[in-house]
Amino acid sequence: GYVSQNVFIADGTLLENVALGLPAAEIDRVRADRAFASARMKEFIDTLPLGMDTPIGECGCRLSGGQRQRIGIARAMVMEPELVVADEPISALDVSIRAQVLNLMKKFQEEKGLTYLFIAHDLSVVRFISDRIGVIYKGRIVEVAEAEELFNYPRHPETQYQMSAIPHPPPGRGNKYGVLTKCPAHDDEK
């Protein structure tokens, strides 16, 4: 499967977009329904009068970024792949939707045994989803290591530079992964 940064959406229906390229007569509705459920689109689709046969229209311009990305994920999952290439799959999304999509991808990884080739510039995101990480600099792989090893002992200057760009919460306000757990704005609340 493949999930891109900018999901291509055709003018057809939700179903036709998940089964992109297949003639309507060859679309497996049961498999598509499972893919929509996996991508957490089932509730949204159930609210639509025509369900998965709802026309998207205008290349999906009325869909939110998260909905578009979930269509891309459903499209990747419909074939029940073992490997998914995810090329900057969350970089165009706002922060709250990023977390939802990442958690969804992590869930697939754990429940379906998926392997991701996850391409991203944000190493904190890569750390969340990856067991092993490769760092590329000027078109060459310059470092490959287990995620924790890479974060604890970055060797290559590019790896060190990328890690320096990861924001860290003030001392005492984050967990071991650098995620803010205590908001400074709420310090006065009891």
Side-chain angles (χ1 to χ4, degrees):
Y2 177 69
V3 181
S4 68
Q5 177 179 0
N6 298 310
V7 176
F8 171 77
I9 304 290
D11 284 339
T13 66
L14 287 165
L15 178 63
E16 291 166 339
N17 270 280
V18 166
L20 193 64
L22 286 177
E26 293 179 29
I27 297 174
D28 183 340
R29 296 180 71 83
V30 173
R31 188 181 244 179
D33 191 56
R34 280 196 313 260
F36 280 127
S38 291
R40 294 192 181 153
M41 286 197 67
K42 189 83 172 94
E43 283 184 29
F44 167 68
I45 290 171
D46 288 346
T47 67
L48 302 171
L50 297 175
M52 67 175 103
D53 295 311
T54 300
I56 291 177
E58 300 175 28
C59 297
C61 70
R62 293 188 188 118
L63 298 173
S64 72
Q67 289 168 331
R68 294 171 66 88
Q69 202 61 7
R70 283 185 177 87
I71 289 173
I73 291 170
R75 186 182 294 154
M77 299 306 295
V78 77
M79 297 307 295
E80 300 171 0
E82 293 178 15
L83 171 70
V84 173
V85 176
D87 186 3
E88 294 278 0
I90 62 162
S91 63
L93 303 175
D94 67 52
V95 175
S96 63
I97 301 300
R98 283 182 184 199
Q100 291 175 15
V101 170
L102 273 177
N103 287 331
L104 181 62
M105 293 179 79
K106 185 74 168 176
K107 177 184 168 206
F108 291 155
Q109 187 179 42
E110 293 167 356
E111 293 178 2
K112 299 177 185 290
L114 275 182
T115 298
Y116 291 113
L117 175 56
F118 194 91
I119 303 162
H121 288 89
D122 184 342
L123 282 181
S124 63
V125 169
V126 174
R127 181 184 199 176
F128 177 77
I129 202 87
S130 304
D131 298 319
R132 289 181 54 80
I133 299 173
V135 177
I136 297 175
Y137 178 64
K138 293 187 176 183
R140 297 191 183 272
I141 296 175
V142 294
E143 186 166 0
V144 177
E146 299 295 319
E148 290 308 308
E149 180 184 340
L150 187 93
F151 272 77
N152 291 329
Y153 309 104
R155 292 187 173 93
H156 193 274
E158 177 63 13
T159 308
Q160 295 166 4
Y161 173 75
Q162 290 295 328
M163 287 192 187
S164 72
I166 298 171
H168 296 283
R173 298 188 193 276
N175 65 17
K176 68 180 184 174
Y177 299 107
V179 175
L180 190 63
T181 57
K182 187 175 177 185
C183 180
H186 299 139
D187 279 351
D188 297 332
E189 296 178 7
K190 300 284 180 205

